[in-house]
Amino acid sequence: MTTEAGPGDDVHDVLDVDLDAFTSRAKEEAEFLIDELRSGTFDNHQSMVGFEYEFYAVADGRWSEESRAGEYALMRVPRRLLELVGFEKELGLHNAEMSTSPQPLSNHGLRAQLSEIRARLAAANDCTGVEGMRLVSDGIWTVPPAGETAHEYLTDSVEVDGITIAVNMSDVARYHAMANMETDGSKRIRLAAPGVSLPADTVMPESLITSIQPHYQTARASALPSCFRYALRIAGPLLALGVNSPFFPPALYDAEWTGERVLADGAHGNRIHVFESVLNERTAEEKVRFPRDIHSVAEAVERIADDETLVPVPDLGGQGRFDDAFAAFRSKHGTYWRWVRPVFEGASRSSAHSRIEFRPIASQPTVRDSVAFQAAFAGLMEALPRYDHPAIDQPWEVARENFYDAVADGIDADLEWITVDGGRTRDTERLYDDLFDHAAAGLVAAGCTETEAESWLAPLRWRVENRVTPASWKRDRVRTRLADGEPFADAVHDMQREYIELQERTLIDGGFSEW
């Protein structure tokens, strides 16, 4: 097996960068950015929404020998195919990522987001079908490539001129550089989650997981700190509805972890554990974490500038763009891994904007369910500051505890919320009634009718009413198979195949509630 066009030289270039000089430049650029923010350069006339959507590819049993060899086994996506369908590279060779065009927050804007995702995904699956593969929207894969174990696929690496190269990783230099930046004299990496401990030479184990990332672009940059603090308070409740990674490839579990123990003690949202454990091993600080509150735009900028530098960029030559003035800062932002993070971007002054990226949610069973999270997040960002909702007074420690309780238990987590009347509640129905009522109010304020607003949120209300998430659906299927006498590995793989078969019929035009 060989790698794609070798990134070794590019990795050497990254490792040769003067880290102190790069960091100093990023901090100088932060001052420029703060001045521009204060002068109104990053203000816009309305709120906007955007979306990032990650997938992995599996064999559909047609055409190629590799596809026929494995029923819904993981497959590598040819890079030429990604370019053909307009998707982007992600960490693993099996990954593909789509980014939508930003749209105004309105019913028309949300419909445009939904239509763009559907159109591009349908076209992509038409193209990948020729290769005997299909793109899957899911939080974590569990069926390894045909003829390989999950351990082999995730840990296979080679040494090229003193550089460790992951065989199954995309040829993006910064991904490989992460494995070769020494921290405290070590290059250690370990995936750690309930029941799983996987050592590796590279960050490739992070490619187990895929996500959706709703973006909310504030009309005025000065609104970002308040929106950010609200986003931290809703992170736990939204994550509890979006968990979709309860199982790893079965062979990765520690020997003493039986299927019954995985069901009893395993997490509903292992994606959080994977991302945190793998990437935090590469840094002295915990770069992947639930962030602290932000109280000013300047503070948001300074946090990014002061964040530990992991992968400096060697060539910051300008291209005549506005954001050339903060190129090092933008590079640092690329490894500013927080579950909610602020972003300041703009290739030109006219396109300069500030936004919040909401990063906790795994990829979902259907496009309609995915966009429901985008609508809910955007609606809440519109409404909660507008109505001065008292949830902003929830102690940060409680918001963080809610987040990790949702990781562990999903919809069954014991979450605490402050309702619109200022009362504290742990009642699930009261929490989500308050949350969705405000999300709907925010969408109405943005131009939706009440009927349209409720339609966007309906997939999430259904999950609350029925106490079902993608993770609980998977756990129920595995539990039933174990009760019928199936071995744990077979139960997980059969569940995964059922998930993909149901998704094939509902991904573009259906909904998770049909399952």
Coordinates of all heavy atoms in Angstrom, one line a residue, residues 32-108:
F32 N -4.3 44.4 14.9 CA -4.9 45.0 13.7 C -6.4 44.6 13.6 O -7.3 45.4 13.3 CB -4.2 44.5 12.5 CG -4.9 44.7 11.2 CD1 -4.9 45.9 10.6 CD2 -5.6 43.6 10.6 CE1 -5.6 46.1 9.4 CE2 -6.3 43.8 9.4 CZ -6.3 45.0 8.8
L33 N -6.7 43.3 13.9 CA -8.0 42.8 13.8 C -8.9 43.4 14.8 O -10.1 43.8 14.5 CB -8.0 41.2 14.0 CG -9.2 40.4 13.7 CD1 -9.6 40.6 12.2 CD2 -8.9 38.9 14.0
I34 N -8.5 43.6 16.0 CA -9.3 44.3 17.0 C -9.6 45.7 16.6 O -10.8 46.2 16.8 CB -8.6 44.3 18.4 CG1 -8.5 42.8 18.9 CG2 -9.2 45.2 19.4 CD1 -7.6 42.7 20.1
D35 N -8.7 46.4 16.0 CA -9.0 47.8 15.6 C -10.0 47.8 14.5 O -10.9 48.6 14.4 CB -7.7 48.4 15.0 CG -6.7 48.8 16.1 OD1 -7.1 48.9 17.3 OD2 -5.5 49.0 15.8
E36 N -9.9 46.8 13.5 CA -10.9 46.7 12.5 C -12.3 46.4 13.0 O -13.3 46.9 12.5 CB -10.4 45.7 11.4 CG -9.2 46.1 10.7 CD -9.5 47.2 9.7 OE1 -10.6 47.3 9.2 OE2 -8.5 48.0 9.4
L37 N -12.3 45.5 14.0 CA -13.6 45.1 14.6 C -14.2 46.4 15.3 O -15.5 46.6 15.1 CB -13.4 44.0 15.6 CG -13.2 42.6 15.0 CD1 -12.5 41.7 16.0 CD2 -14.5 42.0 14.6
R38 N -13.4 47.1 15.9 CA -14.0 48.3 16.6 C -14.4 49.4 15.6 O -15.4 50.2 15.9 CB -12.9 48.9 17.5 CG -12.7 48.0 18.8 CD -11.5 48.5 19.6 NE -11.3 47.8 20.9 CZ -10.2 47.7 21.6 NH1 -9.1 48.4 21.2 NH2 -10.2 47.0 22.7
S39 N -13.8 49.4 14.5 CA -14.2 50.4 13.5 C -15.4 50.0 12.6 O -15.9 50.8 11.8 CB -13.0 50.7 12.5 OG -12.8 49.6 11.7
G40 N -15.9 48.8 12.9 CA -17.1 48.4 12.2 C -16.9 47.6 10.9 O -17.9 47.2 10.2
T41 N -15.7 47.3 10.6 CA -15.4 46.6 9.3 C -16.1 45.2 9.3 O -16.5 44.8 8.2 CB -13.9 46.3 9.2 OG1 -13.2 47.6 9.2 CG2 -13.5 45.6 7.9
F42 N -16.3 44.6 10.4 CA -16.8 43.2 10.5 C -18.4 43.2 10.7 O -18.9 42.2 11.0 CB -16.1 42.4 11.5 CG -14.7 41.9 11.1 CD1 -13.7 42.8 11.1 CD2 -14.5 40.7 10.6 CE1 -12.4 42.5 10.7 CE2 -13.2 40.3 10.2 CZ -12.2 41.2 10.2
D43 N -19.0 44.4 10.7 CA -20.4 44.5 10.9 C -21.1 44.3 9.5 O -20.6 44.6 8.5 CB -20.8 45.9 11.4 CG -20.4 46.1 12.9 OD1 -20.0 45.1 13.5 OD2 -20.3 47.2 13.3
N44 N -22.3 43.7 9.6 CA -23.1 43.5 8.4 C -24.6 43.9 8.7 O -24.9 44.1 9.8 CB -23.0 42.0 8.0 CG -21.6 41.6 7.5 OD1 -21.3 41.8 6.4 ND2 -20.8 41.1 8.4
H45 N -25.4 43.9 7.6 CA -26.7 44.4 7.8 C -27.7 43.3 8.3 O -28.8 43.7 8.7 CB -27.2 45.0 6.5 CG -27.5 44.0 5.4 ND1 -26.4 43.4 4.7 CD2 -28.6 43.4 4.9 CE1 -26.9 42.6 3.8 NE2 -28.2 42.6 3.9
Q46 N -27.3 42.0 8.3 CA -28.2 41.0 8.8 C -27.5 39.8 9.2 O -26.3 39.6 8.9 CB -29.2 40.6 7.7 CG -28.6 40.0 6.5 CD -29.7 39.7 5.4 OE1 -29.5 40.1 4.3 NE2 -30.7 39.0 5.7
S47 N -28.1 38.9 9.9 CA -27.6 37.6 10.3 C -27.5 36.7 9.1 O -28.4 36.7 8.3 CB -28.4 37.0 11.5 OG -28.5 37.9 12.6
M48 N -26.5 35.8 9.1 CA -26.4 34.8 8.1 C -26.2 33.4 8.7 O -25.8 33.3 9.8 CB -25.2 35.2 7.2 CG -25.2 36.6 6.6 SD -26.2 36.7 5.1 CE -25.1 35.9 3.9
V49 N -26.4 32.4 7.9 CA -26.2 31.0 8.3 C -25.3 30.3 7.3 O -25.4 30.6 6.1 CB -27.5 30.3 8.5 CG1 -28.2 30.8 9.8 CG2 -28.4 30.3 7.3
G50 N -24.6 29.3 7.7 CA -23.8 28.5 6.9 C -23.7 27.1 7.5 O -24.1 26.9 8.6
F51 N -23.0 26.2 6.8 CA -23.0 24.8 7.3 C -21.8 24.0 6.8 O -21.4 24.2 5.6 CB -24.3 24.1 6.8 CG -24.8 23.0 7.6 CD1 -25.3 23.1 8.9 CD2 -24.8 21.7 7.0 CE1 -25.8 22.0 9.6 CE2 -25.3 20.6 7.7 CZ -25.7 20.8 9.0
E52 N -21.2 23.2 7.6 CA -20.2 22.2 7.2 C -20.8 20.8 7.5 O -21.3 20.6 8.5 CB -18.9 22.5 7.9 CG -18.2 23.8 7.6 CD -16.9 23.9 8.4 OE1 -16.2 23.0 8.5 OE2 -16.7 25.1 8.8
Y53 N -20.5 19.9 6.6 CA -21.2 18.6 6.6 C -20.1 17.6 6.2 O -19.6 17.6 5.1 CB -22.4 18.6 5.7 CG -23.4 17.6 6.0 CD1 -24.8 17.8 5.6 CD2 -23.2 16.3 6.6 CE1 -25.8 16.9 5.9 CE2 -24.2 15.4 6.9 CZ -25.5 15.7 6.5 OH -26.5 14.8 6.7
E54 N -19.8 16.6 7.1 CA -18.8 15.6 6.9 C -19.5 14.3 6.7 O -20.5 13.9 7.3 CB -17.8 15.5 8.1 CG -17.1 16.8 8.3 CD -16.2 16.8 9.6 OE1 -16.4 15.8 10.4 OE2 -15.5 17.7 9.8
F55 N -18.8 13.5 5.8 CA -19.3 12.1 5.5 C -18.2 11.1 5.5 O -17.0 11.5 5.4 CB -20.0 12.1 4.1 CG -21.1 13.1 3.9 CD1 -20.8 14.4 3.6 CD2 -22.4 12.7 4.1 CE1 -21.8 15.3 3.4 CE2 -23.4 13.6 3.9 CZ -23.2 15.0 3.6
Y56 N -18.5 9.8 5.5 CA -17.5 8.8 5.2 C -18.1 7.9 4.1 O -19.3 7.9 3.9 CB -17.1 8.0 6.4 CG -18.1 7.2 7.1 CD1 -18.6 6.0 6.6 CD2 -18.6 7.6 8.4 CE1 -19.5 5.2 7.3 CE2 -19.5 6.9 9.1 CZ -20.0 5.7 8.5 OH -20.9 4.9 9.2
A57 N -17.2 7.3 3.4 CA -17.6 6.4 2.2 C -17.6 5.0 2.6 O -16.7 4.5 3.3 CB -16.7 6.7 1.0
V58 N -18.6 4.2 2.1 CA -18.7 2.8 2.3 C -18.9 2.1 1.0 O -19.4 2.7 0.0 CB -19.8 2.4 3.3 CG1 -19.6 3.1 4.6 CG2 -21.2 2.8 2.7
A59 N -18.6 0.8 0.9 CA -18.8 0.0 -0.2 C -20.3 -0.3 -0.4 O -20.9 -0.7 0.6 CB -18.0 -1.3 -0.1
D60 N -20.8 -0.2 -1.6 CA -22.3 -0.5 -1.7 C -22.4 -1.8 -2.5 O -23.6 -2.2 -2.9 CB -23.0 0.6 -2.5 CG -22.6 0.8 -3.9 OD1 -21.7 0.0 -4.4 OD2 -23.1 1.7 -4.6
G61 N -21.3 -2.6 -2.7 CA -21.4 -3.9 -3.2 C -21.5 -4.0 -4.7 O -21.8 -5.0 -5.3
R62 N -21.2 -2.9 -5.4 CA -21.3 -2.9 -6.9 C -19.9 -2.5 -7.5 O -19.1 -1.9 -6.9 CB -22.3 -1.8 -7.4 CG -23.7 -2.1 -6.9 CD -24.7 -1.1 -7.4 NE -24.4 0.3 -7.0 CZ -24.8 1.4 -7.5 NH1 -25.6 1.3 -8.5 NH2 -24.5 2.5 -7.0
W63 N -19.8 -2.9 -8.7 CA -18.8 -2.5 -9.7 C -17.4 -2.9 -9.3 O -16.9 -3.9 -9.8 CB -18.8 -0.9 -9.9 CG -20.1 -0.4 -10.2 CD1 -20.8 0.6 -9.5 CD2 -21.0 -0.7 -11.3 NE1 -22.0 0.8 -10.0 CE2 -22.2 0.0 -11.1 CE3 -20.9 -1.7 -12.3 CZ2 -23.2 -0.1 -12.0 CZ3 -21.9 -1.8 -13.2 CH2 -23.1 -1.0 -13.1
S64 N -16.7 -2.2 -8.4 CA -15.3 -2.5 -8.1 C -15.1 -3.7 -7.2 O -16.0 -4.1 -6.5 CB -14.6 -1.3 -7.4 OG -15.1 -1.2 -6.1
E65 N -14.0 -4.4 -7.4 CA -13.7 -5.6 -6.6 C -13.7 -5.2 -5.1 O -14.2 -6.0 -4.3 CB -12.3 -6.1 -7.0 CG -11.9 -7.4 -6.2 CD -10.6 -8.0 -6.7 OE1 -10.1 -7.5 -7.7 OE2 -10.0 -8.8 -6.0
E66 N -13.1 -4.1 -4.7 CA -13.1 -3.7 -3.3 C -14.5 -3.5 -2.8 O -14.9 -3.9 -1.7 CB -12.3 -2.3 -3.2 CG -12.2 -1.9 -1.7 CD -11.5 -0.6 -1.6 OE1 -11.1 0.0 -2.6 OE2 -11.3 -0.1 -0.4
S67 N -15.4 -2.9 -3.6 CA -16.8 -2.7 -3.2 C -17.5 -4.0 -3.0 O -18.2 -4.2 -2.0 CB -17.5 -1.8 -4.2 OG -18.9 -1.6 -3.8
R68 N -17.3 -4.9 -3.9 CA -18.0 -6.2 -3.8 C -17.5 -7.0 -2.6 O -18.2 -7.9 -2.1 CB -17.8 -7.0 -5.1 CG -18.6 -6.4 -6.3 CD -18.6 -7.4 -7.5 NE -17.4 -7.8 -7.9 CZ -16.6 -7.3 -8.8 NH1 -17.0 -6.1 -9.4 NH2 -15.4 -7.8 -9.1
A69 N -16.3 -6.8 -2.2 CA -15.7 -7.6 -1.1 C -16.2 -7.3 0.3 O -16.1 -8.1 1.2 CB -14.2 -7.4 -1.1
G70 N -16.8 -6.1 0.4 CA -17.3 -5.7 1.8 C -18.6 -5.1 1.8 O -18.9 -4.1 1.1
E71 N -19.6 -5.7 2.5 CA -20.9 -5.1 2.6 C -20.9 -3.9 3.5 O -20.8 -4.0 4.8 CB -21.9 -6.2 3.1 CG -23.3 -5.7 3.1 CD -24.3 -6.8 3.7 OE1 -23.7 -7.8 4.1 OE2 -25.5 -6.5 3.7
Y72 N -21.0 -2.7 2.9 CA -21.0 -1.4 3.7 C -19.7 -1.2 4.5 O -19.7 -0.5 5.5 CB -22.2 -1.3 4.6 CG -23.5 -1.3 3.8 CD1 -24.6 -1.9 4.3 CD2 -23.6 -0.6 2.6 CE1 -25.8 -1.9 3.6 CE2 -24.8 -0.6 1.9 CZ -25.9 -1.3 2.4 OH -27.0 -1.2 1.6
A73 N -18.6 -1.9 4.0 CA -17.3 -1.6 4.7 C -16.7 -0.3 4.2 O -17.1 0.3 3.2 CB -16.3 -2.7 4.2
L74 N -15.9 0.3 5.1 CA -15.3 1.6 4.8 C -14.5 1.5 3.5 O -13.9 0.5 3.2 CB -14.4 2.0 6.0 CG -14.0 3.5 6.1 CD1 -15.3 4.2 6.6 CD2 -12.9 3.6 7.1
M75 N -14.6 2.6 2.8 CA -13.8 2.7 1.5 C -13.0 4.1 1.4 O -13.5 5.1 1.9 CB -14.7 2.6 0.3 CG -15.1 1.2 0.0 SD -15.9 1.0 -1.7 CE -14.6 1.2 -2.8
R76 N -11.9 4.0 0.8 CA -11.2 5.2 0.5 C -11.8 5.9 -0.7 O -12.1 5.3 -1.7 CB -9.7 4.9 0.2 CG -9.0 4.2 1.4 CD -7.7 3.5 1.0 NE -7.0 2.9 2.1 CZ -7.3 1.7 2.5 NH1 -8.3 1.0 2.0 NH2 -6.6 1.2 3.6
V77 N -11.9 7.3 -0.7 CA -12.5 8.0 -1.8 C -11.4 8.6 -2.7 O -10.5 9.3 -2.2 CB -13.3 9.2 -1.2 CG1 -14.0 10.0 -2.4 CG2 -14.3 8.8 -0.2
P78 N -11.3 8.2 -3.9 CA -10.3 8.8 -4.8 C -10.4 10.3 -4.8 O -11.4 10.9 -4.9 CB -10.7 8.3 -6.2 CG -11.5 7.0 -5.9 CD -12.3 7.3 -4.7
R79 N -9.2 10.9 -4.7 CA -9.1 12.4 -4.6 C -9.7 13.1 -5.8 O -10.3 14.1 -5.7 CB -7.7 12.9 -4.4 CG -7.0 12.3 -3.2 CD -7.7 12.7 -1.9 NE -8.7 11.8 -1.4 CZ -9.4 11.9 -0.3 NH1 -9.3 13.0 0.5 NH2 -10.4 11.0 0.0
R80 N -9.5 12.5 -7.0 CA -10.1 13.0 -8.2 C -11.6 13.1 -8.2 O -12.2 14.0 -8.7 CB -9.6 12.2 -9.4 CG -10.1 10.8 -9.4 CD -9.8 10.0 -10.6 NE -10.1 8.6 -10.5 CZ -11.3 8.1 -10.4 NH1 -12.4 8.9 -10.5 NH2 -11.5 6.8 -10.2
L81 N -12.2 12.1 -7.4 CA -13.6 12.1 -7.3 C -14.1 13.2 -6.4 O -15.2 13.8 -6.7 CB -14.1 10.7 -6.7 CG -15.5 10.4 -6.8 CD1 -16.1 10.4 -8.2 CD2 -15.8 9.0 -6.2
L82 N -13.4 13.5 -5.3 CA -13.8 14.6 -4.5 C -13.8 15.9 -5.3 O -14.7 16.7 -5.1 CB -12.8 14.7 -3.3 CG -13.0 13.8 -2.1 CD1 -12.0 14.2 -1.0 CD2 -14.4 14.0 -1.6
E83 N -12.8 16.1 -6.1 CA -12.7 17.3 -6.9 C -13.9 17.4 -7.9 O -14.5 18.4 -8.1 CB -11.4 17.4 -7.6 CG -10.2 17.5 -6.7 CD -8.9 17.4 -7.4 OE1 -8.9 17.2 -8.7 OE2 -7.8 17.4 -6.8
L84 N -14.2 16.2 -8.4 CA -15.3 16.2 -9.4 C -16.6 16.6 -8.8 O -17.4 17.3 -9.4 CB -15.4 14.8 -10.0 CG -16.5 14.5 -11.0 CD1 -16.3 15.3 -12.3 CD2 -16.6 13.0 -11.4
V85 N -16.9 16.1 -7.6 CA -18.2 16.4 -7.0 C -18.2 17.7 -6.1 O -19.2 18.0 -5.5 CB -18.7 15.2 -6.1 CG1 -18.8 14.0 -7.0 CG2 -17.7 15.0 -4.9
G86 N -17.1 18.4 -6.1 CA -17.0 19.6 -5.3 C -17.0 19.5 -3.8 O -17.3 20.5 -3.1
F87 N -16.5 18.4 -3.3 CA -16.3 18.2 -1.9 C -14.8 18.5 -1.6 O -14.0 18.6 -2.4 CB -16.7 16.8 -1.5 CG -18.2 16.6 -1.3 CD1 -19.1 17.0 -2.3 CD2 -18.7 16.0 -0.2 CE1 -20.5 16.8 -2.1 CE2 -20.1 15.8 0.0 CZ -20.9 16.2 -1.0
E88 N -14.6 18.6 -0.3 CA -13.2 18.9 0.2 C -12.6 17.7 0.9 O -13.3 16.8 1.4 CB -13.3 20.1 1.1 CG -13.9 21.3 0.5 CD -14.3 22.3 1.5 OE1 -13.8 22.3 2.7 OE2 -15.2 23.2 1.2
K89 N -11.3 17.7 1.0 CA -10.6 16.7 1.7 C -10.8 16.8 3.2 O -11.0 18.0 3.7 CB -9.1 16.8 1.5 CG -8.6 16.5 0.1 CD -7.1 16.7 0.0 CE -6.6 16.5 -1.5 NZ -5.2 16.7 -1.6
E90 N -10.9 15.7 3.9 CA -10.9 15.8 5.4 C -9.7 14.9 5.8 O -8.9 14.5 5.0 CB -12.2 15.3 6.0 CG -13.0 16.5 6.7 CD -12.2 17.0 7.9 OE1 -11.5 16.2 8.6 OE2 -12.3 18.2 8.2
L91 N -9.7 14.6 7.1 CA -8.5 13.9 7.7 C -8.2 12.6 7.0 O -7.1 12.3 6.5 CB -8.7 13.7 9.2 CG -7.5 13.1 9.9 CD1 -6.4 14.1 9.9 CD2 -7.9 12.7 11.4
G92 N -9.2 11.6 7.0 CA -9.0 10.3 6.4 C -9.3 10.2 4.9 O -10.1 11.0 4.4
L93 N -8.7 9.2 4.3 CA -8.9 9.0 2.9 C -10.4 8.6 2.6 O -10.9 8.7 1.5 CB -8.0 8.0 2.3 CG -6.5 8.4 2.2 CD1 -5.7 7.2 1.6 CD2 -6.3 9.6 1.4
H94 N -11.1 8.2 3.6 CA -12.5 7.8 3.5 C -13.4 8.9 3.7 O -14.7 8.8 3.6 CB -12.8 6.7 4.5 CG -12.5 7.1 5.9 ND1 -11.3 7.1 6.5 CD2 -13.4 7.7 6.9 CE1 -11.3 7.5 7.7 NE2 -12.6 7.9 8.0
N95 N -12.9 10.1 4.0 CA -13.7 11.2 4.4 C -14.0 12.2 3.2 O -13.2 12.3 2.3 CB -13.1 12.1 5.5 CG -13.1 11.4 6.8 OD1 -12.0 11.3 7.5 ND2 -14.2 10.9 7.3
A96 N -15.1 12.9 3.3 CA -15.5 14.0 2.4 C -16.2 15.0 3.1 O -17.0 14.7 4.0 CB -16.3 13.5 1.2
E97 N -16.0 16.3 2.8 CA -16.7 17.4 3.5 C -17.3 18.4 2.5 O -16.7 18.7 1.5 CB -15.7 18.1 4.4 CG -16.3 19.3 5.2 CD -15.3 20.0 6.0 OE1 -14.2 20.4 5.5 OE2 -15.5 20.2 7.2
M98 N -18.5 18.8 2.8 CA -19.2 19.8 2.1 C -19.4 21.1 2.9 O -19.7 21.0 4.1 CB -20.6 19.3 1.7 CG -21.5 20.3 1.0 SD -23.2 19.8 1.1 CE -23.2 18.2 0.4
S99 N -19.1 22.3 2.3 CA -19.4 23.5 2.9 C -20.5 24.3 2.1 O -20.3 24.4 0.9 CB -18.2 24.4 3.1 OG -17.2 23.7 3.9
T100 N -21.5 24.7 2.7 CA -22.6 25.4 2.0 C -22.2 26.9 1.7 O -21.4 27.5 2.4 CB -23.9 25.3 2.7 OG1 -23.8 26.0 3.9 CG2 -24.3 23.9 2.9
S101 N -22.9 27.5 0.8 CA -22.8 29.0 0.6 C -23.6 29.7 1.7 O -24.7 29.3 1.9 CB -23.4 29.3 -0.8 OG -22.8 28.5 -1.8
P102 N -23.0 30.7 2.3 CA -23.7 31.4 3.4 C -25.0 32.0 2.8 O -25.0 32.5 1.7 CB -22.7 32.5 3.8 CG -21.4 32.0 3.4 CD -21.6 31.2 2.2
Q103 N -26.0 32.0 3.6 CA -27.3 32.6 3.2 C -27.9 33.5 4.4 O -27.6 33.2 5.5 CB -28.3 31.5 2.9 CG -27.9 30.6 1.8 CD -28.1 31.3 0.4 OE1 -28.7 32.3 0.3 NE2 -27.4 30.7 -0.6
P104 N -28.7 34.4 4.0 CA -29.4 35.2 5.1 C -30.3 34.3 5.9 O -30.9 33.3 5.4 CB -30.3 36.2 4.3 CG -29.7 36.3 2.9 CD -29.1 34.9 2.7
L105 N -30.3 34.6 7.2 CA -31.2 33.8 8.1 C -32.6 34.2 7.9 O -33.1 35.3 8.3 CB -30.8 34.1 9.6 CG -31.7 33.4 10.6 CD1 -31.8 31.9 10.4 CD2 -31.3 33.7 12.0
S106 N -33.4 33.4 7.2 CA -34.8 33.6 6.9 C -35.3 32.2 6.4 O -34.5 31.3 6.2 CB -34.9 34.6 5.7 OG -34.3 34.1 4.5
N107 N -36.6 32.2 6.1 CA -37.1 30.9 5.6 C -36.5 30.6 4.3 O -36.1 29.4 4.0 CB -38.6 31.0 5.5 CG -39.2 29.6 5.2 OD1 -39.1 28.7 6.0 ND2 -39.9 29.5 4.1
H108 N -36.3 31.6 3.4 CA -35.7 31.4 2.1 C -34.3 31.0 2.3 O -33.8 30.1 1.5 CB -35.8 32.7 1.3 CG -37.2 33.0 0.9 ND1 -38.0 32.2 0.1 CD2 -38.0 34.1 1.1 CE1 -39.2 32.8 -0.1 NE2 -39.2 33.9 0.5

